[in-house]
Structure formats: structure tokens, C-alpha cells
Amino acid sequence: MEDDRAELAEAARKLFSGPIAFLKSAPSLQFIPDPTAPEIAFAGRSNVGKSSLLNALTNRKSLARTSNTPGRTQELNFFDVGEPLQMRLVDMPGYGFAEAPRDLVKRWRFLVNDFLRGRAALKRALVLIDSRHGIKPVDREVMDMLDGAAVGYHLVLTKSDKVKRTELETVFAATRDEAAKRPAAHPQLFATSSETGAGIAELRTAILEAANQ
């Protein structure tokens, strides 16, 4: 079992060190690509560090745009992983920010919800939680939607280097307890840091494992 896990981890390392390319942005469902490869979707509050995590996972500095302005990602962004194509990563619009007009927030939410509910190629979602703040009501709304749609997901703590170890342990435990209550939540949690690399290799392995299921 350990040997199999080590092989999977090495395969994930090689895959994410290889060819990865931006495919397209989709402002609505009519523009999304045909579901020709397993997909892993990234969801999270605006400014949770989603773009930085994508860049860390793929060993790139600018695969996904990063910004100090919450809500910059306004479309579904698709990235092809591997040659030949092995999977797609889907960077979804951030949610829960106050700066954008209400109608725009509503449109983005419908886009994300419709995509997650109806995408046959979607193997797993990653719901990103800021280690400094823990789970917020808007995160629970997304988790409720994923549970209702029976879309399996991991909870992923970001920015774990920004809090003290004892604080991280407290947030991790609370997040684990929340996952245990959720029918579609995977029990394996991840505490990650895009700056230090903590948890990145383990998350890569889980992504490849989910894509292969």
C-alpha cells in the first residue's frame, strides 16, 4: 500500500512538472469545453489564495493570475494538464466579496452552481478555506450545494504559514469536524502554503487519485 502511494505521488510530481497550458475562459456554460478529460474544480472565497495555490501546484509563477483585488477571476478558467491530455483544472470565480455589484455576484454564483451541478467530467471539487479565518457561512453555502449535487470535495486550508501552529491545529480540527458532518466531503484534509510548499505534494497526489477514479 505504501509502495502504491509512493508511486502515485511520484506520478503526480511528474505530471504537474510537465506540460500544463491555459485552454480557455468561459463566461457562461455555452463556452465551456467538451468534457473530454477528468476535471478538478477549485472553489473558494475571493482572496483565499486560489490563484497562488494553482501556481504552486503546477510549479508555475503565473499560470493563474494573482491579484490583491478580490474577485478578479470572473469566468471559469480551464487548464490542460499533460501531453497527451490527462486532466483539466478548473479555476472558478471567487465568491463572498463585497466590492462587486450585486447582479455580477449573482451571475457568477449561477455560473459556478450550474457548472458544478451538471458536469459529468467533474471528478472532485476543492473548497479552499483561509487558515486565518476558518469556515465562513458563504463556504457552507457552497458545501451545501456540493452535498446536494453529490459532488465529492476536499476541504483545503490555504495560507497555513500565516498563522501560528496552535492556531492552525485549532482551525484544522474545526474543519475536520465540519467535513465529518458532510455527506459529500472527503475525510482527507490538507493544510497548504503556496509560499513554503507545505501540503502541496500531498494535494497533487490526491488530485491525480481523484482524476483516475
Side-chain angles (χ1 to χ4, degrees), residues 20 132 188 205:
I20 300 176
R132 300 170 299 178
Q188 186 179 15
T205 303

Side-chain angles (χ1 to χ4, degrees), residues 140-163:
R140 291 189 175 91
E141 290 180 19
V142 173
M143 293 157 67
D144 288 342
M145 185 268 299
L146 290 168
D147 289 333
V151 175
Y153 58 94
H154 284 289
L155 298 180
V156 179
L157 295 175
T158 62
K159 305 182 181 182
S160 65
D161 60 303
K162 304 299 184 184
V163 297

Side-chain angles (χ1 to χ4, degrees), residues 83-213:
E83 287 183 1
L85 178 63
Q86 289 199 37
M87 73 171 78
R88 285 196 175 110
L89 307 180
V90 187
D91 183 12
M92 299 194 297
Y95 54 82
F97 52 90
E99 290 82 357
R102 184 174 297 177
D103 61 336
L104 190 58
V105 173
K106 185 176 181 180
R107 188 165 76 241
W108 293 353
R109 179 167 290 187
F110 277 128
L111 174 63
V112 170
N113 287 0
D114 290 347
F115 172 76
L116 291 176
R117 285 180 178 275
R119 191 66 167 171
L122 183 61
K123 294 296 186 178
R124 189 152 302 165
L126 306 179
V127 180
L128 277 50
I129 308 294
D130 192 321
S131 295
R132 300 170 299 178
H133 308 302
I135 296 174
K136 296 293 186 180
V138 70
D139 299 316
R140 291 189 175 91
E141 290 180 19
V142 173
M143 293 157 67
D144 288 342
M145 185 268 299
L146 290 168
D147 289 333
V151 175
Y153 58 94
H154 284 289
L155 298 180
V156 179
L157 295 175
T158 62
K159 305 182 181 182
S160 65
D161 60 303
K162 304 299 184 184
V163 297
K164 295 179 181 178
R165 183 180 181 88
T166 53
E167 294 172 353
L168 180 61
E169 290 173 351
T170 299
V171 172
F172 191 93
T175 306
R176 181 183 58 218
D177 291 345
E178 181 79 29
K181 303 173 186 176
R182 299 280 178 168
H186 196 282
Q188 186 179 15
L189 308 182
F190 301 90
T192 67
S193 168
S194 300
E195 292 192 11
T196 69
I200 297 298
E202 293 81 2
L203 186 55
R204 284 192 195 117
T205 303
I207 289 172
L208 179 58
E209 185 175 39
N212 289 341
Q213 290 179 353

